Amino acid sequence: MADVVVVYNTVTGFAQTYGEWIAEDLGARLYPWSQAKGIDLSGADLVVYGAGVRMSRIRGFHEFRRKIKRENLMGKVVVWANGGTPVHPQRDWRVPAGTFTKKELASGCYPFFYFQGGVRYEGLSFPEKTLLKIFSKRIQRYRHRGEWVVQVADNIAHGYDHTSRAAIIPLVNKAREMLGE
Ligand SMILES: Cc1cc2nc3c(=O)[nH]c(=O)nc-3n(C[C@H](O)[C@H](O)[C@H](O)COP(=O)(O)O)c2cc1C
């Protein structure tokens, strides 16, 4: 059986939820990043990395990239990001564009999937909570920009959970394809 590893990097739990679902569907080993960074993954057949979005970037990817290089994981990595904003074809490029290098984007070396997570204030540090509260006030002025803004603006003050188990299906299918299943 293939050795698949799912690594999640979370602050408020959304990446853990997605990581658990993905690991369950792929029959994978599951680790939080704090643990995975100390484990040699060079023998794995596939490594799936996922984290929350911070200012259009995938949390911790910079550090994970070093692991990819060190443990020779290139070609067997799949990445997801979970953010507060809804899935939107015209916006989903923002996160990979903010995270991956031009070279990585051009080569398409990391199959990438974006899922909506949600927003939780519990567990955030004081500076992050403050940033989110500022953003939650500011976004009210941009409702005219579209339905996705309205959805976030309506819910952000109290937090919301828009995780969806069905959202992982394209990632799971891609992972199976890469494993030759
Ligand atoms: C400081 C801060 C910045 C954020 N920036 C973004 C962003 O640029 N785009 C987005 O979609 N969500 C953004 N979010 C929302 C988180 O990505 C979202 O809550 C995510 O699901 C958290 O995942 P986690 O619980 O696994 O850490 C931000 C949240 C915080 C606290």
Side-chain angles (χ1 to χ4, degrees), residues 9-16 51-56 82-85 114 117-120 124 128 131-132:
N9 194 333
T10 192
V11 176
T12 54
F14 292 103
Q16 181 171 357
V53 180
R54 286 290 181 276
M55 309 295 181
S56 297
N82 46 267
T85 49
Y114 176 79
V119 164
R120 259 182 216 128
L124 288 179
E128 288 202 319
L131 265 176
L132 208 55

Side-chain angles (χ1 to χ4, degrees), residues 18-62:
Y18 278 117
E20 282 168 0
W21 286 335
I22 293 164
E24 200 178 301
D25 282 10
L26 292 174
R29 294 189 272 153
L30 176 70
Y31 302 110
W33 170 244
S34 55
Q35 209 180 330
K37 62 182 163 191
I39 300 173
D40 181 358
L41 299 180
S42 55
D45 296 304
L46 192 80
V47 180
V48 186
Y49 176 89
V53 180
R54 286 290 181 276
M55 309 295 181
S56 297
R57 294 198 177 164
I58 306 171
R59 279 190 72 244
F61 190 79
H62 189 69

Side-chain angles (χ1 to χ4, degrees), residues 80-99:
W80 92 80
N82 46 267
T85 49
V87 171
H88 194 296
Q90 278 160 18
R91 285 182 49 82
D92 292 354
W93 56 271
R94 276 175 182 255
V95 175
T99 308

